[in-house]
Amino acid sequence: MKNFIKEFKEFAIKGNVMSLAVGMIIGSAFTALVNSLLDNVISPIIGCFNTGGINGLHFTIWKADIYYGAFLTDVFNFIIMAFVVFLMVKGMNKLSSVGKKEEEEAAPTTKECPFCKSEINIEATKCPHCTSDVE
């Protein structure tokens, strides 16, 4: 039982689990923000031609009311969230590739001796290991 608790503790404290928890909390707060934007700003503007707002848009088939306005609100909500997540992922990828580009662009500082295959300075004309002339 001690081993099980120790393994669970190591799992729960890992950075990935904590990052996921923080992401879930921020994601739910962001969802509330986007819902507020849609309900209080975008929907009234779109629904200004209808007294019930966009959520009130509906039609009736037999005795069932189909609220397509609420569906449109959810579609707008999804598009806004997907766009923001896309921008965040694109920004994170750009940030993570900044350091890599500098390393890739750096010129090599060593070369291999064609005779003894040891690594030598790129400016060397004679190998310090086998004393051969190097181009």
mmCIF file with all atom_site columns, all heavy atoms in Angstrom, residues 3-20:
data_model
loop_
_atom_site.group_PDB
_atom_site.id
_atom_site.type_symbol
_atom_site.label_atom_id
_atom_site.label_alt_id
_atom_site.label_comp_id
_atom_site.label_asym_id
_atom_site.label_entity_id
_atom_site.label_seq_id
_atom_site.pdbx_PDB_ins_code
_atom_site.Cartn_x
_atom_site.Cartn_y
_atom_site.Cartn_z
_atom_site.occupancy
_atom_site.B_iso_or_equiv
_atom_site.pdbx_formal_charge
_atom_site.auth_seq_id
_atom_site.auth_comp_id
_atom_site.auth_asym_id
_atom_site.auth_atom_id
_atom_site.pdbx_PDB_model_num
ATOM 1   N N   . ASN A 1 3  ? 3.756  1.625  -1.415  1.00 0.00 ? 3  ASN A N   1
ATOM 2   C CA  . ASN A 1 3  ? 4.275  1.797  -2.774  1.00 0.00 ? 3  ASN A CA  1
ATOM 3   C C   . ASN A 1 3  ? 3.216  2.435  -3.672  1.00 0.00 ? 3  ASN A C   1
ATOM 4   O O   . ASN A 1 3  ? 3.522  3.296  -4.496  1.00 0.00 ? 3  ASN A O   1
ATOM 5   C CB  . ASN A 1 3  ? 4.727  0.443  -3.330  1.00 0.00 ? 3  ASN A CB  1
ATOM 6   C CG  . ASN A 1 3  ? 5.656  0.603  -4.509  1.00 0.00 ? 3  ASN A CG  1
ATOM 7   O OD1 . ASN A 1 3  ? 6.219  1.669  -4.709  1.00 0.00 ? 3  ASN A OD1 1
ATOM 8   N ND2 . ASN A 1 3  ? 5.821  -0.461 -5.263  1.00 0.00 ? 3  ASN A ND2 1
ATOM 9   N N   . PHE A 1 4  ? 1.959  2.023  -3.506  1.00 0.00 ? 4  PHE A N   1
ATOM 10  C CA  . PHE A 1 4  ? 0.866  2.580  -4.299  1.00 0.00 ? 4  PHE A CA  1
ATOM 11  C C   . PHE A 1 4  ? 0.703  4.068  -4.017  1.00 0.00 ? 4  PHE A C   1
ATOM 12  O O   . PHE A 1 4  ? 0.567  4.874  -4.935  1.00 0.00 ? 4  PHE A O   1
ATOM 13  C CB  . PHE A 1 4  ? -0.432 1.826  -3.987  1.00 0.00 ? 4  PHE A CB  1
ATOM 14  C CG  . PHE A 1 4  ? -1.626 2.371  -4.708  1.00 0.00 ? 4  PHE A CG  1
ATOM 15  C CD1 . PHE A 1 4  ? -1.828 2.096  -6.054  1.00 0.00 ? 4  PHE A CD1 1
ATOM 16  C CD2 . PHE A 1 4  ? -2.551 3.171  -4.048  1.00 0.00 ? 4  PHE A CD2 1
ATOM 17  C CE1 . PHE A 1 4  ? -2.927 2.595  -6.712  1.00 0.00 ? 4  PHE A CE1 1
ATOM 18  C CE2 . PHE A 1 4  ? -3.646 3.679  -4.698  1.00 0.00 ? 4  PHE A CE2 1
ATOM 19  C CZ  . PHE A 1 4  ? -3.842 3.383  -6.041  1.00 0.00 ? 4  PHE A CZ  1
ATOM 20  N N   . ILE A 1 5  ? 0.730  4.440  -2.748  1.00 0.00 ? 5  ILE A N   1
ATOM 21  C CA  . ILE A 1 5  ? 0.592  5.847  -2.374  1.00 0.00 ? 5  ILE A CA  1
ATOM 22  C C   . ILE A 1 5  ? 1.774  6.659  -2.897  1.00 0.00 ? 5  ILE A C   1
ATOM 23  O O   . ILE A 1 5  ? 1.609  7.781  -3.379  1.00 0.00 ? 5  ILE A O   1
ATOM 24  C CB  . ILE A 1 5  ? 0.443  5.984  -0.841  1.00 0.00 ? 5  ILE A CB  1
ATOM 25  C CG1 . ILE A 1 5  ? -0.879 5.365  -0.402  1.00 0.00 ? 5  ILE A CG1 1
ATOM 26  C CG2 . ILE A 1 5  ? 0.545  7.436  -0.403  1.00 0.00 ? 5  ILE A CG2 1
ATOM 27  C CD1 . ILE A 1 5  ? -1.059 5.271  1.095   1.00 0.00 ? 5  ILE A CD1 1
ATOM 28  N N   . LYS A 1 6  ? 2.963  6.098  -2.823  1.00 0.00 ? 6  LYS A N   1
ATOM 29  C CA  . LYS A 1 6  ? 4.156  6.786  -3.325  1.00 0.00 ? 6  LYS A CA  1
ATOM 30  C C   . LYS A 1 6  ? 4.052  7.016  -4.831  1.00 0.00 ? 6  LYS A C   1
ATOM 31  O O   . LYS A 1 6  ? 4.331  8.114  -5.327  1.00 0.00 ? 6  LYS A O   1
ATOM 32  C CB  . LYS A 1 6  ? 5.398  5.963  -2.992  1.00 0.00 ? 6  LYS A CB  1
ATOM 33  C CG  . LYS A 1 6  ? 6.688  6.588  -3.463  1.00 0.00 ? 6  LYS A CG  1
ATOM 34  C CD  . LYS A 1 6  ? 7.877  5.700  -3.145  1.00 0.00 ? 6  LYS A CD  1
ATOM 35  C CE  . LYS A 1 6  ? 9.138  6.302  -3.738  1.00 0.00 ? 6  LYS A CE  1
ATOM 36  N NZ  . LYS A 1 6  ? 10.279 5.398  -3.587  1.00 0.00 ? 6  LYS A NZ  1
ATOM 37  N N   . GLU A 1 7  ? 3.607  5.984  -5.582  1.00 0.00 ? 7  GLU A N   1
ATOM 38  C CA  . GLU A 1 7  ? 3.454  6.126  -7.033  1.00 0.00 ? 7  GLU A CA  1
ATOM 39  C C   . GLU A 1 7  ? 2.400  7.165  -7.373  1.00 0.00 ? 7  GLU A C   1
ATOM 40  O O   . GLU A 1 7  ? 2.580  7.968  -8.293  1.00 0.00 ? 7  GLU A O   1
ATOM 41  C CB  . GLU A 1 7  ? 3.077  4.778  -7.645  1.00 0.00 ? 7  GLU A CB  1
ATOM 42  C CG  . GLU A 1 7  ? 4.215  3.796  -7.705  1.00 0.00 ? 7  GLU A CG  1
ATOM 43  C CD  . GLU A 1 7  ? 3.782  2.464  -8.307  1.00 0.00 ? 7  GLU A CD  1
ATOM 44  O OE1 . GLU A 1 7  ? 2.808  2.449  -9.085  1.00 0.00 ? 7  GLU A OE1 1
ATOM 45  O OE2 . GLU A 1 7  ? 4.417  1.449  -7.992  1.00 0.00 ? 7  GLU A OE2 1
ATOM 46  N N   . PHE A 1 8  ? 1.279  7.154  -6.640  1.00 0.00 ? 8  PHE A N   1
ATOM 47  C CA  . PHE A 1 8  ? 0.229  8.136  -6.891  1.00 0.00 ? 8  PHE A CA  1
ATOM 48  C C   . PHE A 1 8  ? 0.718  9.546  -6.603  1.00 0.00 ? 8  PHE A C   1
ATOM 49  O O   . PHE A 1 8  ? 0.428  10.479 -7.348  1.00 0.00 ? 8  PHE A O   1
ATOM 50  C CB  . PHE A 1 8  ? -1.017 7.831  -6.061  1.00 0.00 ? 8  PHE A CB  1
ATOM 51  C CG  . PHE A 1 8  ? -2.118 8.820  -6.282  1.00 0.00 ? 8  PHE A CG  1
ATOM 52  C CD1 . PHE A 1 8  ? -2.860 8.782  -7.450  1.00 0.00 ? 8  PHE A CD1 1
ATOM 53  C CD2 . PHE A 1 8  ? -2.394 9.807  -5.350  1.00 0.00 ? 8  PHE A CD2 1
ATOM 54  C CE1 . PHE A 1 8  ? -3.866 9.698  -7.677  1.00 0.00 ? 8  PHE A CE1 1
ATOM 55  C CE2 . PHE A 1 8  ? -3.393 10.736 -5.571  1.00 0.00 ? 8  PHE A CE2 1
ATOM 56  C CZ  . PHE A 1 8  ? -4.134 10.677 -6.737  1.00 0.00 ? 8  PHE A CZ  1
ATOM 57  N N   . LYS A 1 9  ? 1.477  9.714  -5.529  1.00 0.00 ? 9  LYS A N   1
ATOM 58  C CA  . LYS A 1 9  ? 2.022  11.026 -5.176  1.00 0.00 ? 9  LYS A CA  1
ATOM 59  C C   . LYS A 1 9  ? 2.949  11.539 -6.275  1.00 0.00 ? 9  LYS A C   1
ATOM 60  O O   . LYS A 1 9  ? 2.880  12.701 -6.668  1.00 0.00 ? 9  LYS A O   1
ATOM 61  C CB  . LYS A 1 9  ? 2.763  10.922 -3.839  1.00 0.00 ? 9  LYS A CB  1
ATOM 62  C CG  . LYS A 1 9  ? 3.280  12.224 -3.300  1.00 0.00 ? 9  LYS A CG  1
ATOM 63  C CD  . LYS A 1 9  ? 3.962  12.007 -1.957  1.00 0.00 ? 9  LYS A CD  1
ATOM 64  C CE  . LYS A 1 9  ? 4.623  13.253 -1.465  1.00 0.00 ? 9  LYS A CE  1
ATOM 65  N NZ  . LYS A 1 9  ? 5.333  13.022 -0.196  1.00 0.00 ? 9  LYS A NZ  1
ATOM 66  N N   . GLU A 1 10 ? 3.825  10.671 -6.795  1.00 0.00 ? 10 GLU A N   1
ATOM 67  C CA  . GLU A 1 10 ? 4.723  11.067 -7.882  1.00 0.00 ? 10 GLU A CA  1
ATOM 68  C C   . GLU A 1 10 ? 3.937  11.449 -9.130  1.00 0.00 ? 10 GLU A C   1
ATOM 69  O O   . GLU A 1 10 ? 4.267  12.407 -9.822  1.00 0.00 ? 10 GLU A O   1
ATOM 70  C CB  . GLU A 1 10 ? 5.695  9.932  -8.190  1.00 0.00 ? 10 GLU A CB  1
ATOM 71  C CG  . GLU A 1 10 ? 6.746  9.716  -7.128  1.00 0.00 ? 10 GLU A CG  1
ATOM 72  C CD  . GLU A 1 10 ? 7.613  8.490  -7.398  1.00 0.00 ? 10 GLU A CD  1
ATOM 73  O OE1 . GLU A 1 10 ? 7.451  7.865  -8.477  1.00 0.00 ? 10 GLU A OE1 1
ATOM 74  O OE2 . GLU A 1 10 ? 8.431  8.151  -6.534  1.00 0.00 ? 10 GLU A OE2 1
ATOM 75  N N   . PHE A 1 11 ? 2.873  10.697 -9.420  1.00 0.00 ? 11 PHE A N   1
ATOM 76  C CA  . PHE A 1 11 ? 2.045  10.989 -10.585 1.00 0.00 ? 11 PHE A CA  1
ATOM 77  C C   . PHE A 1 11 ? 1.342  12.332 -10.442 1.00 0.00 ? 11 PHE A C   1
ATOM 78  O O   . PHE A 1 11 ? 1.313  13.139 -11.367 1.00 0.00 ? 11 PHE A O   1
ATOM 79  C CB  . PHE A 1 11 ? 1.010  9.874  -10.780 1.00 0.00 ? 11 PHE A CB  1
ATOM 80  C CG  . PHE A 1 11 ? -0.043 10.197 -11.784 1.00 0.00 ? 11 PHE A CG  1
ATOM 81  C CD1 . PHE A 1 11 ? 0.219  10.125 -13.139 1.00 0.00 ? 11 PHE A CD1 1
ATOM 82  C CD2 . PHE A 1 11 ? -1.315 10.571 -11.372 1.00 0.00 ? 11 PHE A CD2 1
ATOM 83  C CE1 . PHE A 1 11 ? -0.756 10.428 -14.061 1.00 0.00 ? 11 PHE A CE1 1
ATOM 84  C CE2 . PHE A 1 11 ? -2.295 10.875 -12.287 1.00 0.00 ? 11 PHE A CE2 1
ATOM 85  C CZ  . PHE A 1 11 ? -2.014 10.798 -13.637 1.00 0.00 ? 11 PHE A CZ  1
ATOM 86  N N   . ALA A 1 12 ? 0.768  12.588 -9.269  1.00 0.00 ? 12 ALA A N   1
ATOM 87  C CA  . ALA A 1 12 ? -0.020 13.801 -9.053  1.00 0.00 ? 12 ALA A CA  1
ATOM 88  C C   . ALA A 1 12 ? 0.835  15.051 -9.022  1.00 0.00 ? 12 ALA A C   1
ATOM 89  O O   . ALA A 1 12 ? 0.364  16.134 -9.346  1.00 0.00 ? 12 ALA A O   1
ATOM 90  C CB  . ALA A 1 12 ? -0.812 13.672 -7.760  1.00 0.00 ? 12 ALA A CB  1
ATOM 91  N N   . ILE A 1 13 ? 2.092  14.928 -8.633  1.00 0.00 ? 13 ILE A N   1
ATOM 92  C CA  . ILE A 1 13 ? 2.950  16.099 -8.506  1.00 0.00 ? 13 ILE A CA  1
ATOM 93  C C   . ILE A 1 13 ? 3.685  16.415 -9.805  1.00 0.00 ? 13 ILE A C   1
ATOM 94  O O   . ILE A 1 13 ? 4.221  17.496 -9.963  1.00 0.00 ? 13 ILE A O   1
ATOM 95  C CB  . ILE A 1 13 ? 3.925  15.915 -7.318  1.00 0.00 ? 13 ILE A CB  1
ATOM 96  C CG1 . ILE A 1 13 ? 3.127  15.833 -6.023  1.00 0.00 ? 13 ILE A CG1 1
ATOM 97  C CG2 . ILE A 1 13 ? 4.936  17.024 -7.227  1.00 0.00 ? 13 ILE A CG2 1
ATOM 98  C CD1 . ILE A 1 13 ? 3.950  15.586 -4.787  1.00 0.00 ? 13 ILE A CD1 1
ATOM 99  N N   . LYS A 1 14 ? 3.674  15.500 -10.751 1.00 0.00 ? 14 LYS A N   1
ATOM 100 C CA  . LYS A 1 14 ? 4.365  15.754 -12.021 1.00 0.00 ? 14 LYS A CA  1
ATOM 101 C C   . LYS A 1 14 ? 3.859  17.042 -12.657 1.00 0.00 ? 14 LYS A C   1
ATOM 102 O O   . LYS A 1 14 ? 2.709  17.425 -12.503 1.00 0.00 ? 14 LYS A O   1
ATOM 103 C CB  . LYS A 1 14 ? 4.137  14.603 -12.998 1.00 0.00 ? 14 LYS A CB  1
ATOM 104 C CG  . LYS A 1 14 ? 5.005  13.416 -12.723 1.00 0.00 ? 14 LYS A CG  1
ATOM 105 C CD  . LYS A 1 14 ? 4.815  12.376 -13.803 1.00 0.00 ? 14 LYS A CD  1
ATOM 106 C CE  . LYS A 1 14 ? 5.656  11.159 -13.519 1.00 0.00 ? 14 LYS A CE  1
ATOM 107 N NZ  . LYS A 1 14 ? 5.403  10.098 -14.485 1.00 0.00 ? 14 LYS A NZ  1
ATOM 108 N N   . GLY A 1 15 ? 4.694  17.686 -13.437 1.00 0.00 ? 15 GLY A N   1
ATOM 109 C CA  . GLY A 1 15 ? 4.347  18.949 -14.071 1.00 0.00 ? 15 GLY A CA  1
ATOM 110 C C   . GLY A 1 15 ? 3.191  18.835 -15.044 1.00 0.00 ? 15 GLY A C   1
ATOM 111 O O   . GLY A 1 15 ? 2.391  19.750 -15.175 1.00 0.00 ? 15 GLY A O   1
ATOM 112 N N   . ASN A 1 16 ? 3.067  17.715 -15.740 1.00 0.00 ? 16 ASN A N   1
ATOM 113 C CA  . ASN A 1 16 ? 2.003  17.573 -16.720 1.00 0.00 ? 16 ASN A CA  1
ATOM 114 C C   . ASN A 1 16 ? 0.630  17.594 -16.064 1.00 0.00 ? 16 ASN A C   1
ATOM 115 O O   . ASN A 1 16 ? -0.300 18.196 -16.582 1.00 0.00 ? 16 ASN A O   1
ATOM 116 C CB  . ASN A 1 16 ? 2.176  16.270 -17.507 1.00 0.00 ? 16 ASN A CB  1
ATOM 117 C CG  . ASN A 1 16 ? 3.411  16.298 -18.374 1.00 0.00 ? 16 ASN A CG  1
ATOM 118 O OD1 . ASN A 1 16 ? 3.933  17.357 -18.685 1.00 0.00 ? 16 ASN A OD1 1
ATOM 119 N ND2 . ASN A 1 16 ? 3.881  15.127 -18.754 1.00 0.00 ? 16 ASN A ND2 1
ATOM 120 N N   . VAL A 1 17 ? 0.478  16.932 -14.940 1.00 0.00 ? 17 VAL A N   1
ATOM 121 C CA  . VAL A 1 17 ? -0.807 16.892 -14.259 1.00 0.00 ? 17 VAL A CA  1
ATOM 122 C C   . VAL A 1 17 ? -1.161 18.278 -13.734 1.00 0.00 ? 17 VAL A C   1
ATOM 123 O O   . VAL A 1 17 ? -2.301 18.730 -13.860 1.00 0.00 ? 17 VAL A O   1
ATOM 124 C CB  . VAL A 1 17 ? -0.785 15.850 -13.118 1.00 0.00 ? 17 VAL A CB  1
ATOM 125 C CG1 . VAL A 1 17 ? -2.063 15.887 -12.313 1.00 0.00 ? 17 VAL A CG1 1
ATOM 126 C CG2 . VAL A 1 17 ? -0.558 14.466 -13.685 1.00 0.00 ? 17 VAL A CG2 1
ATOM 127 N N   . MET A 1 18 ? -0.204 18.963 -13.169 1.00 0.00 ? 18 MET A N   1
ATOM 128 C CA  . MET A 1 18 ? -0.460 20.309 -12.659 1.00 0.00 ? 18 MET A CA  1
ATOM 129 C C   . MET A 1 18 ? -0.785 21.273 -13.796 1.00 0.00 ? 18 MET A C   1
ATOM 130 O O   . MET A 1 18 ? -1.680 22.104 -13.674 1.00 0.00 ? 18 MET A O   1
ATOM 131 C CB  . MET A 1 18 ? 0.734  20.815 -11.854 1.00 0.00 ? 18 MET A CB  1
ATOM 132 C CG  . MET A 1 18 ? 1.034  19.982 -10.607 1.00 0.00 ? 18 MET A CG  1
ATOM 133 S SD  . MET A 1 18 ? -0.378 19.808 -9.511  1.00 0.00 ? 18 MET A SD  1
ATOM 134 C CE  . MET A 1 18 ? -0.432 21.441 -8.825  1.00 0.00 ? 18 MET A CE  1
ATOM 135 N N   . SER A 1 19 ? -0.093 21.147 -14.911 1.00 0.00 ? 19 SER A N   1
ATOM 136 C CA  . SER A 1 19 ? -0.382 21.993 -16.063 1.00 0.00 ? 19 SER A CA  1
ATOM 137 C C   . SER A 1 19 ? -1.780 21.735 -16.595 1.00 0.00 ? 19 SER A C   1
ATOM 138 O O   . SER A 1 19 ? -2.491 22.671 -16.986 1.00 0.00 ? 19 SER A O   1
ATOM 139 C CB  . SER A 1 19 ? 0.637  21.745 -17.172 1.00 0.00 ? 19 SER A CB  1
ATOM 140 O OG  . SER A 1 19 ? 1.918  22.109 -16.760 1.00 0.00 ? 19 SER A OG  1
ATOM 141 N N   . LEU A 1 20 ? -2.180 20.483 -16.612 1.00 0.00 ? 20 LEU A N   1
ATOM 142 C CA  . LEU A 1 20 ? -3.527 20.140 -17.061 1.00 0.00 ? 20 LEU A CA  1
ATOM 143 C C   . LEU A 1 20 ? -4.572 20.746 -16.140 1.00 0.00 ? 20 LEU A C   1
ATOM 144 O O   . LEU A 1 20 ? -5.581 21.285 -16.603 1.00 0.00 ? 20 LEU A O   1
ATOM 145 C CB  . LEU A 1 20 ? -3.684 18.620 -17.122 1.00 0.00 ? 20 LEU A CB  1
ATOM 146 C CG  . LEU A 1 20 ? -5.045 18.110 -17.557 1.00 0.00 ? 20 LEU A CG  1
ATOM 147 C CD1 . LEU A 1 20 ? -5.330 18.527 -18.987 1.00 0.00 ? 20 LEU A CD1 1
ATOM 148 C CD2 . LEU A 1 20 ? -5.090 16.597 -17.438 1.00 0.00 ? 20 LEU A CD2 1
#
